[in-house]
Amino acid sequence: MDVNMSRVPAERQASSFKNIEGTKSFMKFKKLFYSQKVAPYVFVLPFIISFFLFWVYPLITAFTMSFQDIGAIKSEWIGIANYTKLLKDNVFRIAVMNSVKYMFFTLVLLIPFPMLFAVLMDSNLVKAKGVWKAVLYMPALTSVVISGTLFRLMFTEYTTGQMNIISSFLGLGTYKWLKMGWSGMVALLVVACWRWTGVNMLYFLSGLKSIDSSLYEAADIDGASSMQKFRYVTLPLLKPTTVYVLTISVYAGLAMFLESYMLWAGNSSPNNIGLTIVGYLYKRGIEKNDMGYACAVGVVLLVVALIINFAQLILNGTFKKEED
Amino acid sequence: MAKQKTLAATPHRRVGTVLGTGFFLILSLIIVFPVFAGLLASFRPGTQLIRRGLSIDLNLSTMNLDNYKYLFSGNADSQKYFMWYKNSLLITLVSVALTLLICYFVAYGLTMYDFKFKNILFTIVLATMMVPFEILMLPLYKEMIAFKLIDTYTGVIIIGLCGASTIFFFKQYLSGLPKDLLDAARIDGCNEYSISVKIILPLAKPAFASMGILCAMGSWNAILWPLLVLKGAEKFTLPIGLNTLLTPYGNNYDVLIAGSMFGILPILVIFLIFNRYIIDGMTAGAVKG
């Protein structure tokens, strides 16, 4: 307040030719703009705008559209007809099963293993760490169009394809990989592991870096074995990273679409073995231009994703405390 | 240091180092395998891929540079390819620069201040992360039509500028910095905005590097949304362009395979440069503050 009082006369003198009232309110605005009270709101403003324009509005629209029959010229309200249709839709059921199965297996494969790899990488048992990190991260830099195409050609039904060469070398015979349910899922999971092992490992690695090394020293003094150190120091302190990886993996697993799209070179696979929830949404909404029905598919996906993620976050105690 | 040396010299430890390093060597070979196979295939006619699928074939006599000569020949296919390339680069650069800055400032606001809606806003950030983009895709598409942003790069970029995961990561990183820095800077006469730019932003460089790579990757590889927004072939990004080559007849596999391999190259180089920077940033101990 004192600063304000002393500044006003000088300001007035300086702008004596201009509208004093206007200058005063501009100064007031400027002062407010620079104050500690207003600054945080200025910082978060872009998020708020983006949130309403590109999240709240489309989300509400997705809900309202799911109760409509969207035509090219006019749309009409049809109540819950889209949802009752979904319940009886066998193709949709296949899509949900595929997505949930895929999500489950990616969680099993892409959390424990990258975590262990990160712990090993973080130890002093590994030389040339930079090289391995770069190589393991490389698949994530590769477009799904490219990696999907490479893997489709590797999983070819011809005996000259790489996967058939490997499986017959192991004495397992050759398969029409992309034509059967289980082998199609294997192909999808191979692509997922190839793409995300390195990324998840880097997440865990940065989590490990933030663990205070004095804790390990203290554990050493107490005579803890490596297993005990992992169990009682690494694992609990890595939890925020684990929860983050788990959250994005649930989401990414359920919403997987492009891997399947590229593996089967389009959105149709034999007996829908590669069809996912989003694949079905795309098929209905874009290919068959039935946006209302596609939005109902989207709403179901949302509900499934939310239930799984909330259950996971509650089990992990994320909501219990804000400060640490 | 001396202690470390004696440790490393024990035979037990040497075996451990060989096993540990050997493990990552094998893992890396597995990871490189498909791309290596693709690289070998790019030196052979595309029709081979259709007929035989993809496998490691080291027979040098069947390999030639024809696909790459064709890709760089400057003919219609080649021009198309490099146009997509340029478009992808432009979109990636602009969207990464804007996304990083915006997300940094948002995270800064959420971390460095205590204000009324702080916790609610942060919960909202997390909440947006838990709604798959694919659900919003169709309504957003209709919105873009209404805003007349269809077939524009603005339309491609604008929806991703406030990526929740980027904000989340920046916030995690910024929470590790001491808030005393802000008070010290205030006493020195810095205003709130110059503190965020001049004092904290340089400290957040490692976060910028790692988020920069993640955002660049996302933008470079984005397919779904650009596929919906971009209509004209002259505006296509590289992934969409390559995707159009995937016809069942396979007459374009020459360009597809050579173009795919060349598409991986530059971003790999950028990553290798950035990668060292990330490791520098992480080992600098900036996280602990």
Side-chain angles (χ1 to χ4, degrees), chain A residues 33-34 36 42 51 53 57 117 124-125 127 132 137-138 140 143 152-153 160 162 194 244 251 262 298, chain B residues 13 17 21 23-24 28 31 52 54-56 124 132 135 143 186 191-193 214 217 221 246 271:
Chain A
F33 182 73
Y34 281 107
Q36 263 186 64
V42 177
F51 171 65
L53 265 183
Y57 176 75
F117 296 169
N124 48 11
L125 292 177
K127 301 272 179 241
W132 314 131
Y137 192 72
M138 184 200 62
S143 161
R152 178 160 45 80
L153 294 166
T160 46
Q162 191 60 52
W194 183 76
Y244 178 66
Y251 155 94
M262 295 317 303
Chain B
R13 189 145 280 268
T17 311
T21 312
F23 174 78
F24 279 104
S28 297
I31 295 287
R52 294 173 50 90
L54 182 62
S55 59
I56 294 277
I124 288 174
I135 293 159
E143 210 177 321
R186 275 177 198 132
N191 71 47
E192 300 302 313
Y193 305 101
L214 285 181
M217 176 194 89
N221 293 338
L246 284 172
F271 168 68

Side-chain angles (χ1 to χ4, degrees), chain A residues 191-321:
Chain A
V191 177
C193 288
W194 183 76
R195 293 193 76 212
W196 299 116
T197 300
V199 175
N200 286 1
M201 191 191 78
L202 283 190
Y203 278 132
F204 285 119
L205 209 52
S206 67
L208 287 174
K209 291 277 181 220
S210 64
I211 297 177
D212 198 336
S213 59
S214 65
L215 288 168
Y216 289 108
E217 284 156 23
D220 276 333
I221 292 164
D222 290 346
S225 69
S226 326
M227 273 313 285
Q228 281 171 323
K229 273 190 275 184
F230 177 74
R231 171 69 188 80
Y232 295 105
V233 181
T234 312
L235 215 50
L237 287 169
L238 213 49
K239 199 170 161 191
T241 317
T242 313
V243 171
Y244 178 66
V245 175
L246 196 59
T247 308
I248 57 171
S249 301
V250 166
Y251 155 94
L254 284 176
M256 186 273 287
F257 165 53
L258 287 168
E259 281 87 340
S260 146
Y261 188 85
M262 295 317 303
L263 213 45
W264 278 274
N267 202 9
S268 48
S269 48
N271 297 322
N272 293 316
I273 54 170
L275 187 71
T276 66
I277 303 177
V278 175
Y280 197 53
L281 182 150
Y282 188 87
K283 184 173 264 178
R284 285 291 173 166
I286 306 291
E287 289 166 18
K288 299 198 172 155
N289 207 12
D290 189 355
M291 288 233 187
Y293 194 60
C295 282
V297 174
V299 170
V300 173
L301 169 62
L302 176 65
V303 171
V304 176
L306 283 184
I307 290 172
I308 295 178
N309 254 337
F310 268 101
Q312 174 262 121
L313 288 174
I314 288 166
L315 284 176
N316 281 311
T318 306
F319 297 127
K320 270 184 198 152
K321 51 180 183 168

Side-chain angles (χ1 to χ4, degrees), chain A residues 70-180:
Chain A
I70 309 285
I73 300 141
K74 59 170 189 158
S75 308
E76 56 179 320
W77 290 90
I78 52 167
I80 58 163
N82 282 331
Y83 290 97
T84 50
K85 203 170 128 198
L86 264 187
L87 275 179
K88 292 181 216 140
D89 191 335
N90 278 326
V91 181
F92 177 66
R93 199 173 303 151
I94 293 170
V96 173
M97 281 309 292
N98 285 342
S99 286
V100 171
K101 238 191 275 179
Y102 174 83
M103 180 209 72
F104 175 76
F105 284 117
T106 51
L107 293 186
V108 171
L109 293 169
L110 283 170
I111 291 181
F113 291 109
M115 189 196 283
L116 291 176
F117 296 169
V119 171
L120 181 59
M121 177 75 89
D122 200 40
S123 74
N124 48 11
L125 292 177
V126 179
K127 301 272 179 241
K129 291 177 185 183
V131 179
W132 314 131
K133 273 190 262 185
V135 172
L136 291 182
Y137 192 72
M138 184 200 62
L141 299 166
T142 316
S143 161
V144 194
V145 173
I146 297 169
S147 52
T149 304
L150 290 176
F151 276 97
R152 178 160 45 80
L153 294 166
M154 281 173 62
F155 276 108
T156 176
E157 57 195 76
Y158 303 127
T159 49
T160 46
Q162 191 60 52
M163 289 304 165
N164 273 335
I165 291 175
I166 292 173
S167 69
S168 59
F169 176 78
L170 295 173
L172 299 169
T174 58
Y175 299 98
K176 295 187 172 180
W177 291 97
L178 299 176
K179 293 204 167 150
M180 289 176 300

Side-chain angles (χ1 to χ4, degrees), chain B:
Chain B
M1 214 44 214
K3 198 185 168 198
Q4 199 116 43
K5 250 182 196 156
T6 52
L7 270 177
T10 64
H12 179 70
R13 189 145 280 268
R14 211 179 292 150
V15 171
T17 311
V18 169
L19 286 178
T21 312
F23 174 78
F24 279 104
L25 177 70
I26 292 166
L27 199 63
S28 297
L29 288 177
I30 295 172
I31 295 287
V32 168
F33 190 85
V35 179
F36 181 62
L39 189 68
L40 289 178
S42 71
F43 296 110
R44 295 194 174 90
T47 46
Q48 281 257 324
L49 278 175
I50 309 279
R51 233 177 287 135
R52 294 173 50 90
L54 182 62
S55 59
I56 294 277
D57 180 359
L58 290 166
N59 185 0
L60 279 169
S61 62
T62 57
M63 286 157 79
N64 57 53
L65 286 169
D66 286 356
N67 292 342
Y68 288 96
K69 277 183 195 152
Y70 186 75
L71 192 68
F72 289 96
S73 65
N75 63 12
D77 279 343
S78 157
Q79 278 175 11
K80 227 166 47 178
Y81 176 78
F82 283 102
M83 190 174 58
W84 297 334
Y85 215 97
K86 208 184 65 202
N87 295 343
S88 266
L89 274 179
L90 178 74
I91 290 180
T92 301
L93 281 177
V94 174
S95 79
V96 168
L98 290 176
T99 307
L100 287 185
L101 277 180
I102 292 174
C103 291
Y104 164 73
F105 284 122
V106 171
Y108 182 90
L110 285 173
T111 317
M112 297 303 182
Y113 298 95
D114 284 313
F115 58 102
K116 208 174 166 188
F117 302 106
K118 180 181 167 168
N119 288 336
I120 298 171
L121 268 175
F122 186 56
T123 313
I124 288 174
V125 172
L126 292 180
T128 61
M129 205 154 67
M130 277 195 268
V131 173
F133 163 77
E134 287 80 358
I135 293 159
L136 309 175
M137 180 171 81
L138 298 177
L140 275 173
Y141 177 64
K142 292 193 104 186
E143 210 177 321
M144 289 299 129
I145 295 173
F147 287 163
K148 299 208 162 47
L149 288 175
I150 290 293
D151 210 17
T152 65
Y153 293 153
T154 315
V156 175
I157 292 168
I158 196 165
I159 60 153
L161 290 180
C162 281
S165 57
T166 315
I167 296 173
F168 183 80
F169 185 88
F170 270 117
K171 189 182 182 294
Q172 298 287 87
Y173 190 87
L174 292 174
S175 330
L177 298 176
K179 283 190 188 174
D180 313 347
L181 281 174
L182 272 80
D183 291 327
R186 275 177 198 132
I187 291 163
D188 287 346
C190 278
N191 71 47
E192 300 302 313
Y193 305 101
S194 57
I195 295 173
S196 72
V197 176
K198 287 182 189 153
I199 312 288
I200 306 296
L201 194 142
L203 291 175
K205 264 186 200 162
F208 271 91
S210 36
M211 274 298 107
I213 290 168
L214 285 181
C215 291
M217 176 194 89
S219 176
W220 182 261
N221 293 338
I223 302 168
L224 203 49
W225 182 243
L227 192 64
L228 289 182
V229 175
L230 300 175
K231 300 290 179 197
E234 80 285 353
K235 294 218 167 139
F236 280 174
T237 59
L238 190 58
I240 303 175
L242 289 176
N243 190 32
T244 61
L245 299 177
L246 284 172
T247 56
Y249 315 107
N251 45 356
N252 285 320
Y253 271 52
D254 302 337
V255 182
L256 177 72
I257 191 76
S260 297
M261 288 302 125
F262 190 69
I264 297 175
L265 194 69
I267 197 144
L268 196 67
V269 172
I270 292 167
F271 168 68
L272 289 177
I273 299 164
F274 258 108
N275 182 46
R276 208 174 58 204
Y277 180 65
I278 288 179
I279 294 162
D280 281 352
M282 278 172 171
T283 49
V287 183
K288 285 173 200 163

